């Protein structure tokens, strides 16, 4: 639901721009507002989860999503739609710090990567369902109806959350603090570098979310419907999430993280070069979603090793705060590049930006290696 809500507008960006009679770049502003508000809401969400318990924050997430989606459906103009979409983004910001914090407290450390991978599969599967939902309604003449369905699903989930809390099937209070002497894991340079890599990854992902649906819709597809192709590419992300989680079990995810980060800008550069090929661009787009989603359980597992259990919600909030704030301008930049320079240039520019992540991830590995002996001592 959270990932699908973020991708709902990018799936119908062109139709929405035509509906409000604005440019593609102007219609990308609500997409950026979603990411910015999602990032800003992440920090208080993490603090509230650590203080009051994740279940309360998750329940609030569902209700706020229902309200935001309903307002998006009803918005009569772009200004009000932007405010409603920003509220929907703020709601999404509540989810990950609470959800990941709760998950990290519910499983043993050696099984955390695997659990994160299983949990993460739901995100890209929700994203894969989004183009089918949104584009089907767009073809029927009202692209906003998908937001109405999202509001109904969120309200139903909120009621389920109340039921689970009443039966005490999820934690409904702040987790007990561990001993005061508990080690909080790596600090300093490794954490700062890791968060910087996360920010670049988020920028690439948010730009990708705007560019690849428009590219597929304008190029046409020979065999499948457009929404089926979009859904298939996004579904590959679920496989990446699962494999990323599986590969962290019993091993440090750092080396795997380097591979997943380095692959993304190289793929984006390749899309720009192979744009006119009949099949290769679609395979490359699927490859990007695979590696981008693969990084998420790896990042979550690394961050869990850096912090005390009582502060898990806060550290995941920091991850999403940095990533989403840095990524929030990407949809507007991507839309402007598409309108002014075309797809090839847009993909190549984002690929060049992504090269920064390769530099940062290697610096992270060096800093981590230096910090390990001190931490072990």
């Amino acid at each position: 639901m959270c990932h699908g809500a973020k991708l709902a507008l990018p799936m119908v960006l062109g139709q929405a721009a035509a509906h409000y009679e604005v440019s593609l770049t102007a219609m990308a502003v609500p997409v950026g507002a979603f990411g910015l508000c999602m990032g800003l809401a992440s920090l208080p969400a993490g603090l509230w989860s650590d203080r009051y318990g994740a279940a309360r924050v998750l329940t609030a997430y569902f209700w706020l999503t229902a309200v935001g989606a309903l307002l998006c459906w009803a918005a009569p103009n772009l200004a009000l739609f932007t405010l409603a979409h920003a509220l929907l983004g703020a709601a999404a910001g509540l989810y990950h710090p609470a959800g990941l914090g709760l998950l990290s407290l519910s499983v043993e450390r050696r099984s955390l990567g695997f659990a994160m991978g299983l949990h993460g599969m739901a995100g890209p599967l929700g994203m894969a369902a989004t183009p089918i939902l949104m584009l089907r309604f767009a073809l029927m003449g009202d692209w906003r109806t998908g937001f109405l369905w999202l509001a109904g699903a969120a309200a139903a989930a909120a009621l389920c959350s109340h039921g689970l809390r009443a039966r005490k099937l999820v934690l409904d209070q702040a987790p007990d603090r561990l001993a005061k002497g508990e080690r909080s894991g790596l600090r300093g340079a490794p954490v700062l570098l890791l968060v910087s890599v996360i920010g670049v990854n988020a920028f690439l992902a948010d730009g990708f979310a705007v560019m690849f649906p428009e590219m597929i819709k304008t190029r046409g597809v020979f065999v499948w419907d457009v929404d089926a192709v979009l859904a298939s590419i996004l579904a590959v992300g679920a496989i990446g999430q699962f494999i990323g989680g599986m590969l962290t079990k019993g091993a440090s995810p750092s080396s795997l993280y380097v591979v997943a980060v380095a692959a993304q800008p190289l793929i984006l550069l390749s899309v720009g070069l192979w744009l006119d090929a009949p099949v290769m661009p679609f395979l490359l787009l699927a490859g990007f979603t695979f590696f981008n989603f693969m990084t998420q359980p790896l990042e979550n597992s690394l961050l869990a090793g850096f912090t005390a259990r009582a502060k898990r919600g806060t550290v995941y909030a920091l991850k999403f705060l940095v990533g989403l704030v840095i990524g929030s301008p990407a949809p507007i930049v991507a839309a402007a590049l598409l309108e002014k320079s075309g797809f090839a240039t847009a993909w190549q520019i984002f690929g060049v930006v992504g090269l920064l992540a390769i530099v940062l991830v290697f610096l992270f590995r060096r800093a981590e290696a230096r910090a390990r002996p001190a931490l072990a001592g």
Side-chain angles (χ1 to χ4, degrees):
M1 185 176 296
C2 182
H3 286 224
K6 185 177 182 182
L7 198 62
L9 181 57
M11 287 296 102
V12 291
L13 196 66
Q15 293 91 330
H19 175 86
Y20 287 122
E21 299 180 346
V22 297
S23 67
L24 198 67
T25 303
M27 199 65 227
V29 172
V31 183
F34 184 108
L36 179 63
C37 290
M38 184 177 177
L40 294 176
S42 295
L43 186 57
L47 296 172
W48 294 336
S49 293
D50 289 337
R51 184 176 179 84
Y52 302 112
R56 289 185 174 88
V57 178
L58 290 172
T59 305
Y61 153 70
F62 288 123
W63 281 123
L64 196 58
T65 297
V67 173
L70 187 63
L71 292 175
C72 285
W73 168 74
N77 55 55
L78 179 60
L80 291 177
F81 182 88
T82 301
L83 292 175
H85 206 244
L87 178 63
L88 191 62
L94 300 181
Y95 174 73
H96 285 94
L100 294 174
L102 178 62
L103 183 62
S104 73
L105 296 169
S106 303
V107 297
E108 296 180 359
R109 178 71 180 89
R110 65 176 180 270
S111 302
L112 181 59
F114 177 68
M116 290 288 186
L118 286 177
H119 166 266
M121 288 181 67
L125 289 177
M127 293 176 70
T130 301
I132 297 175
L133 176 69
M134 297 301 294
L135 287 174
R136 289 299 178 185
F137 284 120
L139 291 173
M140 294 168 59
D142 189 0
W143 57 273
R144 292 184 298 178
T145 305
F147 287 102
L148 184 61
W149 280 75
L150 175 62
L159 294 175
C160 289
S161 182
H162 282 293
L164 290 170
R165 290 171 57 199
R167 288 178 167 81
K168 301 188 183 301
L169 296 176
V170 293
L171 297 178
D172 201 22
Q173 66 281 329
D176 293 335
R177 296 298 191 266
L178 300 186
K180 292 183 179 180
E182 180 194 38
R183 306 195 70 151
S184 60
L186 296 175
R187 296 178 181 271
V191 176
L192 293 175
L193 288 166
L194 177 58
V195 171
S196 299
V197 177
I198 290 170
V200 178
N201 273 348
F203 187 87
L204 298 183
D206 287 353
F208 177 86
V210 167
M211 293 191 295
F212 97 96
E214 293 302 312
M215 189 184 86
I216 291 176
K217 284 186 283 187
T218 55
R219 284 175 55 89
V221 181
F222 297 105
V223 180
W224 291 334
D225 293 334
V226 171
D227 55 355
V229 174
L230 293 172
S232 299
I233 290 173
L234 292 169
V236 173
I239 301 173
Q241 283 264 16
F242 180 74
I243 291 178
M246 285 287 290
L247 293 177
T248 63
K249 188 175 182 180
S252 170
S254 299
S255 299
L256 299 169
Y257 188 60
V258 171
V259 174
V261 168
Q264 294 175 69
L266 301 179
I267 290 173
L268 295 181
L269 289 169
S270 299
V271 173
L273 295 174
W274 290 83
L275 197 61
D276 295 328
V279 177
M280 184 61 71
F282 302 111
L283 297 178
L284 290 170
L285 294 175
F288 180 86
T289 61
F290 177 87
F291 286 109
N292 186 265
F293 281 95
M294 184 181 181
T295 62
Q296 295 176 20
L298 301 177
E299 292 165 353
N300 295 335
S301 182
L302 285 167
L303 286 171
F306 297 158
T307 53
R309 288 166 60 88
K311 294 294 184 181
R312 292 285 168 77
T314 302
V315 76
Y316 288 130
L318 176 64
K319 168 190 171 177
F320 286 97
L321 173 65
V322 172
L324 291 163
V325 170
I326 291 177
S328 61
I332 302 171
V333 173
L337 287 171
L338 292 184
E339 288 189 322
K340 295 180 180 179
S341 305
F343 288 105
T345 301
W347 288 116
Q348 289 170 357
I349 288 177
F350 270 82
V352 170
V353 172
L355 295 177
L356 176 61
I358 298 180
V359 176
L360 291 171
V361 79
F362 277 103
L363 292 175
F364 159 71
R365 283 284 285 156
R366 290 186 60 184
E368 182 193 35
R370 292 174 181 173
R372 287 289 180 193
L375 183 64

